[in-house]
């Protein structure tokens, strides 16, 4: 009985496998699937905006302009993100995507403080509708960045609601308070809008490091955005982050 000869695709697969096996064993290769959107798929942007300690605005993300209905890659004639009045250029450009990463001092980024508003707009992509955009009002802290509590009392974190209404409104909100001591950490979290006063009883607190805890509040808001016509979509994480140093004083 004659053996059936493998077709061209099978022979090609064997050649590829042989080439891979011939590579030095010390090497390590990661194969990442390319971001080839189908013809006519919407342009997409995924990223984050973060206000850190009221002093810095961190911006990052990835734009995938995708392909027009003809199958050709869409052009990006204006590749800059617009954050407040600052144009943020891409830090890396590949055939299929543009990556962004920037840190803006708030005083230099339009002269606003941590209360907002923080205006954000996606880059311009050819052949799709207006870029998605948002005006964000972060949450605001109440206490100074260093305070003290008497041993045996609650650690209390206070936060003010945003100074205005984020437009469009976020789809989901969650918050975390993390207390770090010398013997570990404790995290309190919940979905929904954070209460203005968050208390952590002493029974749940780790032993401080040198009579001091480090406390961090993070509020995450997730926003799904879409340009006119729905052919340009964005997913953003909006994070407010504040840190405190809390000293434990001996009871009187």
């Amino acid at each position: 009985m004659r053996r059936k000869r493998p077709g061209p695709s099978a022979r090609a697969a064997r050649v590829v496998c042989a080439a891979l096996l011939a590579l030095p064993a010390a090497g390590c290769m990661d194969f990442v699937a390319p971001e080839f959107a189908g013809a006519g798929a919407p342009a997409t942007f995924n990223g984050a905006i973060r206000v850190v300690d009221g002093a810095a605005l961190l911006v990052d993300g990835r734009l995938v302009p995708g392909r027009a209905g003809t199958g050709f890659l869409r052009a990006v004639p204006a590749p800059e993100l617009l954050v407040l009045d600052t144009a943020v250029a891409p830090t890396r450009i590949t055939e299929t995507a543009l990556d962004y990463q920037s840190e803006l001092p708030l005083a230099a980024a339009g002269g606003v403080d941590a209360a907002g508003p923080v205006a954000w707009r996606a880059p311009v992509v050819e052949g799709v509708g207006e870029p998605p955009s948002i005006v964000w009002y972060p949450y605001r802290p109440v206490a100074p960045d260093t305070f003290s509590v008497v041993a045996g009392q609650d650690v209390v974190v206070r936060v003010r609601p945003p100074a205005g209404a984020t437009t469009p409104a976020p789809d989901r909100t969650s918050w975390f308070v993390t207390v770090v001591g010398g013997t570990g950490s404790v995290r309190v979290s919940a979905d929904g809008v954070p209460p203005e006063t968050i208390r952590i009883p002493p029974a749940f607190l780790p032993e401080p490091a040198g009579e001091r805890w480090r406390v961090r509040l993070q509020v995450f808001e997730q926003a799904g955005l879409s340009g006119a016509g729905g052919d340009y979509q964005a997913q953003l994480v909006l994070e407010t982050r504040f840190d405190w140093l809390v000293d434990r004083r001996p009871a009187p």
Side-chain angles (χ1 to χ4, degrees), residues 198-221:
I198 302 169
R199 294 181 175 274
I200 304 176
F204 294 97
L205 294 171
E207 190 64 22
E211 299 302 313
R212 172 169 281 187
W213 292 287
R214 289 183 292 116
V215 180
R216 169 171 289 182
L217 166 68
Q218 293 168 280
V219 182
F220 294 96
E221 301 168 87

Side-chain angles (χ1 to χ4, degrees), residues 9 12 47 52-53 133:
S9 60
V52 180
D53 288 332
S133 62

